[in-house]
Amino acid sequence: SQQGEEDPQALSIQEGENATMNCSYKTSINNLQWYRQNSGRGLVHLILIRSNEREKHSGRLRVTLDTSKKSSSLLITASRAADTASYFCATGRGANNLFFGTGTRLTVIP
Amino acid sequence: EADIYQTPRYLVIGTGKKITLECSQTMGHDKMYWYQQDPGMELHLIHYSYGVNSTEKGDLSSESTVSRIRTEHFPLTLESARPSHTSQYLCASSDSDRNDGYTFGSGTRLTVV
């Protein structure tokens, strides 16, 4: 399966700390995307990194991609209580549908 | 989360009823998708469409059916609901020319009693 797997499954940190989530996948990809899902809601697209990119930033988000290890990481700096959500990675390959991972549940304690 | 709308937001129905979950998007996206997700769990693709009159089954077997008569509309129908259909259903869309990610609706939480 091309499906990604996030690690850890759950993460609990204090407000102000950094949160790091990892994603591993199995086959070659064109891009990797990260999404956030608040409880009981739909997913929100956060950031996309293409296979020829190694790092990308968006506000407090930093994403890295290592295609040789088939892995990616999402770093959220200076976390806030509002960052509490589940985070999913999704891998894209050509015109095919995205494959979503199993998600990391992040809890930021005020 | 704007521009793609799912109705109803919550639905509680009895076993054996026929239901249709609505999904509409105003972005002109050619591709649309239905996912099933149990609370706190991964997403499972159950149907997708690459354009008008195109529908395909996804990775997870589902007793539901879909139609795509108009670009903006992708309803999902359950002919006879069962308690095992209780779940959250998420609709999404994407633009194959831009290939910049999916836009999701807020979901329909279905409970079959």
Side-chain angles (χ1 to χ4, degrees):
Chain A
S1 166
Q2 188 178 341
Q3 193 168 24
E5 290 187 8
E6 285 89 339
D7 171 59
Q9 287 188 321
L11 178 62
S12 185
I13 59 173
Q14 293 291 136
E15 199 166 31
E17 294 180 340
N18 295 342
T20 299
M21 288 158 270
N22 303 296
C23 171
S24 60
Y25 57 93
K26 296 180 180 178
T27 64
S28 62
I29 61 172
N30 291 121
N31 65 75
L32 187 143
Q33 305 175 30
W34 285 91
Y35 290 78
R36 183 188 75 234
Q37 184 181 34
N38 290 94
S39 180
R41 307 292 292 184
L43 280 70
V44 175
H45 183 260
L46 294 176
I47 195 166
L48 180 153
I49 186 166
R50 301 193 191 282
S51 59
N52 60 353
E53 298 175 308
R54 291 296 168 259
E55 187 171 311
K56 202 162 184 179
H57 297 253
S58 176
R60 294 184 295 113
L61 306 180
R62 182 173 80 99
V63 170
T64 62
L65 179 63
D66 187 335
T67 53
S68 66
K69 294 182 180 178
K70 292 186 170 57
S71 67
S72 172
S73 67
L74 171 67
L75 168 68
I76 304 174
T77 60
S79 63
R80 305 167 182 168
D83 295 329
T84 294
S86 291
Y87 291 82
F88 292 84
C89 69
T91 52
R93 186 178 182 188
N96 295 337
N97 300 330
L98 290 180
F99 287 86
F100 284 86
T102 51
T104 292
R105 261 172 289 177
L106 172 66
T107 302
V108 181
I109 303 166
Chain B
E1 295 180 74
D3 304 324
I4 182 164
Y5 306 97
Q6 289 187 243
T7 58
R9 185 77 179 87
Y10 300 95
L11 181 61
V12 180
I13 61 167
T15 298
K17 297 292 185 183
K18 176 181 178 179
I19 59 165
T20 296
L21 308 185
E22 300 289 347
C23 177
S24 294
Q25 51 99 1
T26 59
M27 298 168 285
H29 286 175
D30 54 334
K31 293 184 176 180
M32 296 189 74
Y33 315 85
W34 276 103
Y35 287 87
Q36 185 175 342
Q37 183 188 33
D38 292 324
M41 303 298 286
E42 61 198 281
L43 283 76
H44 295 284
L45 180 66
I46 51 175
H47 295 284
Y48 61 97
S49 166
Y50 285 175
V52 172
N53 293 327
S54 151
T55 62
E56 301 287 345
K57 289 188 180 293
D59 307 317
L60 180 69
S61 175
S62 173
E63 294 160 345
S64 57
T65 59
V66 293
S67 63
R68 188 91 182 275
I69 299 172
R70 303 196 317 265
T71 298
E72 61 271 21
H73 194 214
F74 192 41
L76 180 145
T77 297
L78 276 167
E79 290 292 333
S80 180
R82 295 207 299 269
S84 60
H85 295 138
T86 294
S87 188
Q88 173 157 264
Y89 293 83
L90 295 169
C91 181
S93 69
S94 68
D95 184 333
S96 56
D97 287 336
R98 293 172 60 90
N99 195 26
D100 59 358
Y102 290 7
T103 302
F104 279 83
S106 296
T108 293
R109 182 165 297 282
L110 172 66
T111 302
V112 183
V113 297

